[in-house]
Amino acid sequence: MKANTKQIAAILNPPAPHMVGDGFRVHNFFPSGYKLKMSPFFMLDYNAKIEFSARNEPRGVGVHPHRGFETVTIAYHGAVAHHDSAGNSGIIYPGDIQWMTAASGILHKEYHEEQFSKKGGPFQMVQLWVNLPAKDKMSTPKYQGVKQSEIQQYILPENTGVIEVIAGEYKDKKGSVSTFSPIEMYNARLNQGAKVDFDLPATYNTAFVIIEGKIKVNGEEIAQTDRMVHFKNEGTHIEVEALANSVVLVLSGEPINEPIAAYGPFLMNKPEEIQQAIADYNEGRFGYLEE
């Protein structure tokens, strides 16, 4: 092991699942499943791969507000349709990323895409809540929708896999989305036998989610499908060997060292800002969206 190795703090099993609406069966790795230092990432809901039966009426989550943060949806299997109170809508297909900056406030709903719902099939997603710095919490909402074909890719030697650079930079490839604070986020799609290394700042909070497959980390510990590898805030270098064809979501970010006041779908800095968000929502200032 190299002297500057970023060592593993824990390999975590998925917490017990719960339903979000009737369309998402998720394991909440944090903040409720495990109390992890993961700022700027506030929440990670992991919808492990499950089969949904065919249904004419799409499953999903009805209209709900967001303020003060960003939601990041990463699709691996299945498809999700979404709408919001600013008139935006779209479909997130496997491999796509939807990076929604709720910021000052938006109403949102998301459902299984109609054709997927009618056929049924495997469904696997990640949704992250990414905190915003105080100065950006009341900025204008926006979307960054990125198709898999548009994501910047670093091709590993000898066709052993690819690193999809969602945010940040890997080697010479810059991420496909812009962020309000420094974030590294990649999908590492690795063929069995692939070896890859990551260099991430010691101070960044870092975790891997094993979406598929089985990997060996730093030549020592093995992590399998649906596990999270949480790293210590020391060292910079991580080595990964794929023991099977694998997909690994890499999350690393500079902590936002500001107070947090969280309540339901609102993530602010002070309790009075939460009260204001509730008042604004009740008074219709988030706009209108039909169920």
Side-chain angles (χ1 to χ4, degrees), residues 104-125:
S104 63
I106 206 161
L107 298 179
H108 192 242
K109 63 179 179 179
E110 48 218 324
Y111 288 87
H112 292 189
E113 184 271 331
E114 190 175 4
Q115 293 309 310
F116 170 77
S117 189
K118 286 179 178 176
K119 291 180 187 173
F123 190 85
Q124 187 179 26
M125 302 268 163

Side-chain angles (χ1 to χ4, degrees), residues 23 42 51 62 89 121 152 161 186 193 205 215 233 239 258 282-283:
F42 178 77
E51 290 280 333
S89 64
Q152 290 295 307
Y186 326 130
N205 292 322
I215 64 171
N233 291 94
E239 293 180 352
E258 297 175 349
N282 288 335
E283 291 165 17

Side-chain angles (χ1 to χ4, degrees), residues 1 4-12 36-38 198 200-210 215-221 223 227-240 248-252:
M1 188 183 291
N4 63 338
T5 295
K6 186 181 282 290
Q7 295 191 19
I8 293 170
I11 297 177
L12 304 169
L36 304 180
K37 280 176 57 181
M38 277 304 294
F198 300 95
L200 300 162
T203 55
Y204 281 25
N205 292 322
T206 301
F208 292 175
V209 183
I210 317 307
I215 64 171
K216 183 184 282 187
V217 182
N218 295 333
E220 292 184 345
E221 298 196 58
R227 305 309 192 271
M228 174 181 280
V229 184
H230 187 228
F231 291 89
K232 296 180 180 179
N233 291 94
E234 55 188 49
T236 60
H237 189 77
I238 302 171
E239 293 180 352
V240 170
V248 180
L249 175 61
V250 176
L251 302 171
S252 189

Side-chain angles (χ1 to χ4, degrees), residues 148-213:
Q148 185 174 26
S149 59
E150 300 167 344
I151 296 174
Q152 290 295 307
Q153 296 187 341
Y154 180 86
I155 309 298
L156 296 172
E158 299 173 14
N159 197 33
T160 53
V162 61
I163 308 297
E164 296 177 347
V165 188
I166 300 166
E169 187 171 353
Y170 184 83
K171 309 293 186 186
D172 60 341
K173 298 295 183 182
K174 285 191 163 55
S176 301
V177 303
S178 63
T179 62
F180 287 83
S181 64
I183 289 172
E184 302 292 324
M185 188 184 299
Y186 326 130
N187 268 324
R189 299 181 184 271
L190 308 174
N191 297 327
Q192 184 173 357
K195 293 184 177 179
V196 63
D197 59 284
F198 300 95
D199 284 289
L200 300 162
T203 55
Y204 281 25
N205 292 322
T206 301
F208 292 175
V209 183
I210 317 307
I211 304 296
E212 185 179 302

